[in-house]
Amino acid sequence: MTSLQARLDQIRPRITSDDFLQGRGLGKDVPFYAFDYPPAAEGEVSDHLEWLIDDIGKKTDLHVAHVNVFELAIEQLKRRNLYDKALSMEKSKGVPALLNAIKGPLEPSKLSAALMTELADQKPDMVLLTGVGAAYPLVRTHSLLNNLQPFLDSTPLILFFPGRFSGQSLQLFGELQETPYYRAFRLVD
């Protein structure tokens, strides 16, 4: 089994290659990729991503967009003046009531539209998606990805996933029930 650091070291050459950027070898599939990792390594992966984005920005002409799904969800609640209400509801009525109340504003189609609005001015060469562990259970990763497919077209999206991705299903934190998701490829093995 390859170490996490060895897998992290494979990311930069992979995502800056012409084959990756031009979607060679994908046929007509969407260029969605997943990099799974142990949830306990969140800090290490986050530090590496910070370095990676900075390094690519300094040494290439590529524009990398980084979207944290948890921060996007919080921003959506704040835009609709629901964030403070949501915090109060969680304290007074509990998490199940909160989840029921905010499922409308955070439904995948609305979040994907907000993400695309955020990316509209950037015109990125690729999108790095993080924060899905922190966003759970507010946002379900597979639903968000399904809603993003029609919008990103040929722009590669890389999901950084704290859990397991088998190539056929996502299992957040490596413990929750597996959710079928067939439209992504493993970024590196």
Side-chain angles (χ1 to χ4, degrees), residues 12 15-16 21 48-66 124-126 128:
R12 189 188 190 290
I15 67 174
T16 58
L21 293 168
H48 187 80
L49 284 176
E50 188 176 317
W51 167 83
L52 179 69
I53 293 166
D54 183 60
D55 189 61
I56 290 173
K58 287 178 180 174
K59 296 178 181 174
T60 73
D61 292 332
L62 297 174
H63 177 72
V64 178
H66 174 213
D125 295 299
M126 70 188 76
L128 307 184

Side-chain angles (χ1 to χ4, degrees), residues 82-126:
L82 296 173
Y83 183 71
D84 291 329
K85 293 175 187 174
L87 294 177
S88 295
M89 178 177 275
E90 181 184 17
K91 287 179 186 174
S92 65
K93 296 185 180 181
V95 173
L98 168 68
L99 293 175
N100 190 47
I102 62 175
K103 69 181 173 186
L106 296 182
E107 72 179 18
S109 63
K110 290 178 183 173
L111 271 183
S112 61
L115 189 147
M116 293 312 298
T117 298
E118 188 174 306
L119 297 178
D121 296 334
Q122 297 183 36
K123 297 183 179 37
D125 295 299
M126 70 188 76

Side-chain angles (χ1 to χ4, degrees), residues 60-88:
T60 73
D61 292 332
L62 297 174
H63 177 72
V64 178
H66 174 213
V67 178
N68 182 304
V69 175
F70 181 69
E71 291 172 5
L72 179 67
I74 297 300
E75 186 58 37
Q76 286 305 106
L77 292 174
K78 287 180 177 179
R79 281 189 188 134
R80 297 188 61 183
N81 295 317
L82 296 173
Y83 183 71
D84 291 329
K85 293 175 187 174
L87 294 177
S88 295

